[in-house]
Amino acid sequence: MAVVSDTSPLSYLVLIGKIDALHVLYGEILIPPAVAAELSHPDGPDSTRQWIEEPPDWLRVAEGPEEAAREVGPSPTDTLWSLDLGERQAIWLAEEAGAEALLIDERDDRQVAKQRGVPVTGTIGVLDEAASEGLVDVRQAADRLRETSFRASEELYQWLLSRHE
């Protein structure tokens, strides 16, 4: 089974130095072209751009059904079309690949994926699983994550920390 990622979890895991946990937890990670483009955007963090310029062998950019979907065009009732291209491609790719998980952080994007039957987790979920496997010091990872622009409630951070005390 495949794991697909959106931009945010990859970027934040690179920023806190815990990106290698993904490979240990999930093996190969698939991303759509729009996510690769977002990771290499000039306005993004230097470390993320450098990481995607020479990606690890366990990261694969996989074409999704975006081009075929463009021929049909957006459906006014499909909430997927309200999302940015990266999120939309990631959800489509997860559907197409029958992914066991989609790594995605934004609340609205997660909701759309769940409505479409795509199992989701995010950066905090990855850190929780990695801590359970002894791959990360959860307090150190949470502290480093707080130093970034990642937005999560204090309750969510406390939940994560309390699970690994």
Side-chain angles (χ1 to χ4, degrees), residues 51-137:
W51 181 80
I52 197 63
E53 283 175 10
E54 294 185 37
D57 59 2
W58 50 263
L59 183 75
R60 184 166 61 92
V61 178
E63 295 295 328
E66 173 74 12
E67 291 305 316
R70 268 194 207 142
E71 294 174 17
V72 175
S75 164
T77 59
D78 189 347
T79 55
L80 187 61
W81 287 95
S82 68
L83 306 181
D84 290 335
L85 181 60
E87 288 80 9
R88 193 166 64 236
Q89 282 186 358
I91 292 170
W92 273 332
L93 181 57
E95 288 176 328
E96 185 178 79
E100 68 181 84
L102 169 62
L103 310 180
I104 192 165
D105 286 326
E106 295 292 329
R107 183 180 305 167
D108 292 344
D109 303 343
R110 291 167 66 99
Q111 186 61 34
V112 170
K114 287 178 186 178
Q115 289 169 350
R116 297 175 70 91
V118 176
V120 300
T121 192
T123 302
I124 295 288
V126 169
L127 291 176
D128 178 44
E129 194 171 344
S132 293
E133 296 295 321
L135 301 173
V136 301
D137 175 320

